[in-house]
Amino acid sequence: MQLLPENRIVRKLYRKMRYRKGFDVHSPFVFNLITKVIEERHSYYRFDTIESERRKLLYCPDRVEYPDRRRKNRLRTCTVAELVQCEAITRKKGMLLFRLVTYFGSRNIVQVGTEAGISTLYLTSYAAGLACVALEASPRLAGIAGKLLNKQGRNPVDIRTGDYAALLPAALGGLPQVDFVFFNTAHEGLRNSLFFREAVTYVHPGTVFVFDGISNGKEMKAFWKEVRANPAVTVSIDLDSMGLAFFDPKLYKRNYIVYF
């Protein structure tokens, strides 16, 4: 048992060193992605605006009731501040989403799980004229996200509330093409397989999938293995807290482990 912490430290050091700054990466696509997007730390003008809205929500005392992510079929009551503190995407991950959609020029975006709308702002703020469909299982979270996006959103976002498996086909099929999908659904466990199998039928060579929480327990780790093994996925990048999948058939199939 004493070896476990040491093993974790070794794994963390390995992850930090592996492909650091593109070292030992022979794919120009992956090299540029690591050096220009994943490891980029430039602060874009929209970041401060989005984080200012987060800070406002962190002082909101209004109480809300929403489904407990950890206990199925139960409701949790808390303040908006507590909800945002626990559920909203971190600044670091949000900035990565912004850089990804900017780098790939994604115009048609689907988000599964809004978690108060902070991540949606990061996804839809880099340019005007984007189309985004955001799915949210909790009406309360959808309401909070809607208010935030109406206030600060650069693009109109179509927020749809209900079961993800029921909503996803229409969300994907209603867009001219699917450029970017953010699966903010680590709490859904193996149900992610259903979402992924549906979404992968809509990909084109420039589509990007991002999965949050790929290391959150056995179910998500098993799901990430499924994603990597799918024939449509050529390049996958394991960031530990997030996973990226790409579908360009010109790329060699390979999984990369990158420190983030």
Side-chain angles (χ1 to χ4, degrees), residues 109-114 120 132-136 157-161:
I109 301 166
V110 175
Q111 178 178 14
V112 189
T114 65
T120 320
C132 178
V133 180
L135 310 181
E136 178 51 59
V157 176
D158 182 359
I159 301 178
R160 304 179 187 180
T161 307

Side-chain angles (χ1 to χ4, degrees), residues 240-256:
D240 190 42
S241 60
M242 300 178 100
L244 315 181
F246 304 91
F247 303 89
D248 189 343
K250 296 179 182 179
L251 301 173
Y252 290 105
K253 190 174 183 68
R254 184 168 181 179
N255 180 60
Y256 294 83

Side-chain angles (χ1 to χ4, degrees), residues 109-130:
I109 301 166
V110 175
Q111 178 178 14
V112 189
T114 65
E115 294 186 348
I118 300 292
S119 56
T120 320
L121 279 179
Y122 274 110
L123 283 169
T124 59
S125 292
Y126 87 91
L130 309 182

